Structure formats: structure tokens, C-alpha cells
Amino acid sequence: FELLRQSRKLFISYKRSESSTVAIQLYEVLEKFGFDVFLDTHSIRPGEPFQEELWHRMTDSDIVILLNTPDFLGSQWTQEELAKASAMSLGIIQIIWPDCTPLRESELFRTIKLQRESINNQGHLSEFIIKQLISETESLRARTLAARQDNLTTEFIDISHKLGVKSILHTDKFITFSVNDRNY
């Protein structure tokens, strides 16, 4: 139905010292499946303002894949990424390492709980987990984009009403405005 944008944008949030191998694996696999994946070590060209580009790419993402490792919140940067993603109402899929506790905010996330056998000797996720992640990503992406569109539309209409502009949201998702009895 072409209701979703063509580009499927993902952002991987992880702690380098604990999950670089999986982050790189996900970057490579998801790119092969047609996703536009942001991974800090692979997606920012030399000379670009690192933090500015990182925040820009997160803002433009549909989904954040969060690799919840034992010390994920031990980094200022991962804490900031989590806070920003939550504040922007991005869809978040939390991949929880064995013996890790889900993050407090996780009732709002989709979660994939790893077992020890989910990660092989080379530190890669199993094919089963990758397939589960892709399925969860597609499902959450559609719901997240619809929710973000609804939030923006509601905010837009609320602001127009505060400015004294009558607005009507139609079933086809377009808005008409009336100012001094003239329709736009």
C-alpha cells in the first residue's frame, strides 16, 4: 500500500567494549536485508561532526536497536542515546544479554531475551535471533511511524486551535483549515 517510506532506517545503540561484534554483525546483516543502518563506527565519515551526526541520524531513524549488555548504562553516551530515543518516541527493540536485567523503561520496548546458546563462540547472534529481530523490526516500525504521525497531526491541530484556526482532520489523513470562514 506504500504507506511506509521506502527507506527503513535503524539506529544501533550499544556499548563498544561489550557488544561491538554483535553491533557489526547486525549492521552487515540488516544492510543486506535492505535497511539503512546507523552504526557509529561505520556510518560517520572522517571530518564530520561526530555527535551532531549521531543525533541527526537517531532523529531520522524509525527504530533503535538497543544492545542491553551488563554495563550498557555504565556509559554516558548510551544513557543519552536511551533518553533521547525515549523522548522522541522512537520504537526501541531491546536485545537483552543473558543474565542481564531488562532496563526500567523496557515495558515500552519490544524485547528479545538472549540465552547463552543465542551467541556462538565467535560472539555472533544465531540465525534464529536475527530472523526474530527482522520480524520484530518490521512490525514495530509500522506501528511506530503511525504513532509518530498521529502525534504530529494531533499537535499540529492543537496549535492551530490555540491560534484560532479551525482545522479538520479527514479520514484520508489530510487536514483542512478555516480562517474567517474561508477553507484552505
Side-chain angles (χ1 to χ4, degrees):
F1 294 111
E2 295 187 30
L3 298 176
L4 297 175
R5 65 181 177 185
Q6 291 296 322
S7 180
R8 302 176 305 166
K9 297 185 177 196
L10 305 177
F11 183 99
I12 299 175
S13 179
Y14 69 109
K15 187 164 183 198
R16 283 186 193 172
S17 62
E18 294 183 316
S19 56
S20 285
T21 301
V22 168
I24 292 167
Q25 176 196 15
L26 292 178
Y27 174 84
E28 292 171 352
V29 168
L30 293 168
E31 285 270 326
K32 286 180 187 172
F33 276 89
F35 290 93
D36 178 3
V37 183
F38 176 85
L39 181 65
D40 61 349
T41 58
H42 288 62
S43 303
I44 298 178
R45 291 185 296 264
E48 288 183 326
F50 184 86
Q51 206 59 45
E52 183 179 316
E53 183 64 18
L54 185 139
W55 294 138
H56 171 73
R57 287 293 302 266
M58 177 183 271
T59 301
D60 196 36
S61 292
D62 303 327
I63 301 292
V64 172
I65 298 173
L66 185 150
L67 304 181
N68 182 1
T69 51
D71 195 33
F72 176 79
L73 291 177
S75 162
Q76 167 197 344
W77 302 113
T78 55
Q79 289 178 33
E80 287 184 27
E81 289 171 8
L82 174 60
K84 231 181 205 343
S86 295
M88 291 188 297
S89 301
L90 295 176
I92 299 174
I93 298 175
Q94 177 184 197
I95 300 177
I96 306 169
W97 255 238
D99 302 324
C100 279
T101 305
L103 299 174
R104 285 180 302 160
E105 304 85 353
S106 67
E107 63 270 0
L108 304 174
F109 306 162
R110 290 275 180 98
T111 59
I112 298 174
K113 180 83 169 121
L114 300 179
Q115 305 299 317
R116 295 204 185 283
E117 60 272 9
S118 303
I119 304 172
N120 69 21
N121 293 339
Q122 289 79 38
H124 292 107
L125 296 178
S126 70
E127 189 173 321
F128 174 80
I129 296 295
I130 297 293
K131 287 179 181 176
Q132 182 182 359
L133 175 63
I134 290 169
S135 175
E136 291 285 339
T137 299
E138 288 295 355
S139 171
L140 182 59
R141 178 177 172 263
R143 289 194 9 237
T144 299
L145 288 175
R148 287 173 82 185
Q149 180 180 1
D150 287 346
N151 289 340
L152 285 172
T153 303
T154 300
E155 187 174 337
F156 191 77
I157 290 171
D158 289 346
I159 290 170
S160 71
H161 288 175
K162 288 177 184 172
L163 295 173
V165 176
K166 182 180 177 188
S167 56
I168 300 170
L169 175 61
H170 298 270
T171 55
D172 293 341
K173 296 287 186 181
F174 70 92
I175 302 170
T176 56
F177 300 96
S178 296
V179 181
N180 300 329
D181 295 325
R182 291 184 63 183
N183 292 325
Y184 297 96

